[in-house]
Every structure is written in C-alpha cells, then in structure tokens.
Amino acid sequence: MPRYYSPDGNIEVWETKPDGYYTEEEWAELHPAPPAPEPTTDEKIAALDAQYNADKADLLTAYQTAQIYGDTETMKSLKADLQALDDQYDEDYEKIVGGE
C-alpha cells in the first residue's frame, strides 16, 4: 500500500492520497536533508595523515621491490615520487591549518 506524509510529517498508509498529504517524493523535495557538517581541522588532518601514510607505504614497498631487483632507475623515480608526496602533504597541511 502507498505511504503518504500528513501535513504534520507523519507517514501514513492510505489506499489513495488524501487531500493535503504528500507523496514520499514530494515530502523529500519540500524537506531536503540538512547539509553534512564541515569536518573539523583535526578530522581533516587525520584524513590527510591517513592518506599520506597509505601512499607512503605503497611507495616504500615499491622501493624495496626495486632495491631487491637492483632497479636503480625505478628507485630514483620512487625517491622523486616520495619527495613530491612530502611536498604535497606540506602544502595540503598548510591549507588546512591556514584555513582556521
């Protein structure tokens, strides 16, 4: 059976839509969900740290593999990638704490 919202916001089951009631779609359009709260500075830094640590771990694993195989070109490239990751982290961190 269809469900309808009363003018007070109570959801009720009716065979046909009563006058003044709203379909679920109409109610959702009239009452949108509030926007998600902005993450705190600490939450933003925690997310940045988590992503940095995951990316760094991937680079270090790749570097170790290249080192085992004696692939000095890949090692050199991965060192540059790690430096770029560090630089990006510093830039992103400053954007977060500078935005307070």
Side-chain angles (χ1 to χ4, degrees):
M1 273 230 191
R3 300 174 350 155
Y4 300 98
Y5 280 92
S6 73
D8 294 328
N10 298 317
I11 191 134
E12 301 173 10
V13 177
W14 292 88
E15 221 172 286
T16 58
K17 180 179 161 187
D19 289 339
Y21 278 58
Y22 304 93
T23 66
E24 292 181 81
E25 294 80 15
E26 291 169 335
W27 185 263
E29 187 175 318
L30 292 169
H31 302 88
E38 178 73 18
T40 66
T41 299
D42 288 342
E43 290 170 334
K44 290 177 184 179
I45 290 172
L48 177 65
D49 286 348
Q51 186 62 56
Y52 170 81
N53 289 329
D55 293 345
K56 184 176 179 180
D58 289 344
L59 289 173
L60 293 176
T61 298
Y63 186 87
Q64 288 173 334
T65 302
Q67 189 175 31
I68 288 170
Y69 287 105
D71 187 348
T72 55
E73 285 301 312
T74 299
M75 290 167 59
K76 184 177 176 182
S77 174
L78 290 166
K79 281 184 183 181
D81 291 346
L82 182 56
Q83 184 60 54
L85 179 65
D86 289 345
D87 293 344
Q88 187 64 54
Y89 175 89
D90 292 342
E91 183 180 322
D92 292 344
Y93 184 89
E94 285 305 314
K95 286 179 186 176
I96 293 170
V97 297
E100 291 185 310

